[in-house]
Amino acid sequence: MDTSPDGVSVLGLGAMGSALAAGFLAAGHRTTVWNRTPGRAAAPALRGAVVAGSAAQALTASPLTVVCLSTYDAVREVLEPLPGAVAGRTVVNLTSGPPVDGQRMAQWAERCGAGYLDGVLMTTPDRVGTPGALQLYAGPAALFRAHEPTLAALGDALHVGEDHGLPSVYDTALLGLMWSTLTGWLLGSALIGADGPGGGVPATAFTDVAARWMKTVETFMRDGARQVDAGHTPGGQFPLDLHLMTMDVLVHACELRGIDPQLPRAHRALVHRAVMEGHGSDSFARLIGYLRDP
């Protein structure tokens, strides 16, 4: 078994775990793999991975072990009987679960004398190893820095804090952002592609323009984030009064073109409530108060 400084072991060879092993191998890391169903190790073995006969062998083969199993229960089932195998090594857990599970695993690893990072992969298996594949990790910053060069083989590795529960919270928050954005994009594609004056635009053409527009949306987000953190939300040149007028136009456009107006109506209802309660001169960031206390 390899014990070189850049050696890494991967426990779990489902679709994502296999992609992790492939990413490490492609980057030149000596990679040891293990899976409860041995047959799944065949593909990584063909790429040059060493197949361990047990989880304990995989853990002791490398200074760093990346775990990617179906649930935290499965992680505990595999790791907790092996405290001696993790002692003095680092475990990176990329299994999805609630924040408390990451925190409990960190406590277990500390009792075993092991380093522990909890993480989440914000990508699909086919994107693992590409430059923009976002990975979020939490735990001791020094521990992350020590293994960042190895984890960078999987994509864009980012440390988000010391609390091991943070990756799970980021995961759900970012997925919420993704679904809201994708739904808005689909609404725009439906609206601009509908029959009528100025319509019939292909979704690909609309998306080329939308991608440029997202750069402006990012500035709105960054300006709004500073206001949220400061607790002060002046509207400036784009107050909620103006948002409400623009949303009225969008709802009307959807109704004219036969597009379901439910989504823009929901946006308008939230802004309308804030305006009616005297916040028309505030910015869009003012709405976070309604989301925090509905």
Side-chain angles (χ1 to χ4, degrees), residues 3 26 32 36-37 46 51 73 85 94 107 113 150 159 183 198-199 203 210 219 225 227 250 253:
T3 56
T32 301
R36 284 183 290 187
T37 304
L46 288 175
V51 180
D73 285 341
L94 295 177
Q107 294 167 0
T150 302
H159 185 253
T183 306
T219 66
Q227 292 186 346
L250 175 58

Side-chain angles (χ1 to χ4, degrees), residues 184-201 206 249-260 264:
W185 162 71
L186 285 174
L187 175 67
S189 296
L191 180 62
I192 203 167
D195 293 333
V201 176
F206 169 67
V249 173
L250 175 58
V251 171
H252 184 56
C254 288
E255 292 169 344
L256 285 177
R257 291 184 178 270
I259 304 301
D260 187 350

Side-chain angles (χ1 to χ4, degrees), residues 4 7-8 56 59 61 72 114-115 141 145 151 159 183 189 230 237 247 272:
S4 61
V8 59
L59 286 162
Y72 273 85
R145 288 193 298 268
L151 297 172
H159 185 253
T183 306
S189 296
Q237 297 181 0
M247 287 177 176
H272 182 266

Side-chain angles (χ1 to χ4, degrees), residues 139-147 162:
L143 188 64
F144 169 77
R145 288 193 298 268
H147 295 289
E162 301 273 332

Side-chain angles (χ1 to χ4, degrees), residues 19-36:
L20 300 180
F24 289 129
L25 287 165
H29 295 290
R30 293 182 62 86
T31 305
T32 301
V33 298
W34 174 84
N35 192 71
R36 284 183 290 187

